[in-house]
Amino acid sequence: LRIKADNDTTIVGIAVSLSVVMQGWSFAGAVAVNQIDATTWAGIANQSDITLAGGTTYGNLDMDADDNGLIVTVAGAVAYGGKGAGIGASATINLIDKAVKAFIENSDITASGLVDLLAYSNANIIGIAIAIAGSKGFMAPAISVTVNIIDSTVYAYFNGKKTAGSGIEAAGGVNITASSDPDIITVAGAVGIVAGGEGGGAVGLSVAYNEIDEDVWAYVNNTDVYASAGDIQLKAKQYS
């Protein structure tokens, strides 16, 4: 028996602005906001009672909840103010929020082979924000900001058994694995240029904020687990 839930989501966002004024003020701004909010569950629940016969060939339970999310975003702003001021500002905001679960709840499983549960999350963000400002006289401030957040829960578990049931019986062993591999790559750059003039000023300011907040659990709660010929393995793995 194979139970599989897959989610593959990709967002590519590009925001670009250009402003040129020869005698006065010039402002260019670019903002890109992207969000992935996903729930990926594979499970057996509600007093189910499943028997799988056929040895290690046909008596296996293979359950996967697999979630892959990718955001690629670029924001660029270029402003030239001539004899006035050139102001350039760019910002990217990216959020991936996901819940991934592979579970057996309040149910019994009898398998002549292996019972294998896997909950896997792979969230990736690439955020780039660039701002360039130029002026021949007054001032040229350039500001770029990129904010990237990954917030995930990844659970693989047995929780409860059928009323008056026997829980999980797997002759070939039990594997319960929760795994997450998130990555954030970010670039923030700002360039301010004032050429000529007197008393002018150029400012380049860039800010990058990145956060990965994850809960990764593999557990057994309030049920019995038997493996007559194989191992019982629980693994919770987080890479970042």
Side-chain angles (χ1 to χ4, degrees), residues 92-189:
T92 66
I93 301 172
N94 303 302
L95 172 63
I96 296 179
D97 186 358
K98 60 174 60 181
V100 185
K101 294 201 305 185
F103 62 92
I104 298 174
E105 287 188 343
N106 301 320
S107 298
D108 290 352
I109 304 294
T110 302
S112 59
L114 176 69
V115 173
D116 189 0
L117 271 63
L118 171 63
Y120 176 71
S121 172
N122 182 27
N124 297 280
I125 295 176
I126 300 173
I128 301 172
I130 303 293
I132 300 174
S135 171
K136 291 183 66 176
F138 185 41
M139 64 177 181
I143 301 171
S144 67
V145 178
T146 178
V147 177
N148 307 286
I149 298 174
I150 296 174
D151 187 356
S152 302
T153 57
V154 185
Y155 294 164
Y157 62 87
F158 301 153
N159 184 32
K161 58 185 176 179
K162 188 177 178 182
T163 302
S166 58
I168 309 298
E169 299 181 20
V174 173
N175 292 329
I176 305 174
T177 304
S179 180
S180 182
D181 187 9
D183 290 297
I184 295 176
I185 299 173
T186 182
V187 177

Side-chain angles (χ1 to χ4, degrees), residues 10-14 34 70-74 94 124-128:
T10 300
I11 295 175
V12 178
I14 300 175
N34 306 285
L70 171 64
I71 295 177
V72 179
T73 182
V74 178
N94 303 302
N124 297 280
I125 295 176
I126 300 173
I128 301 172

Side-chain angles (χ1 to χ4, degrees), residues 25-39:
W25 288 59
S26 175
F27 173 76
V31 178
V33 179
N34 306 285
Q35 179 175 354
I36 295 175
D37 190 352
T39 300

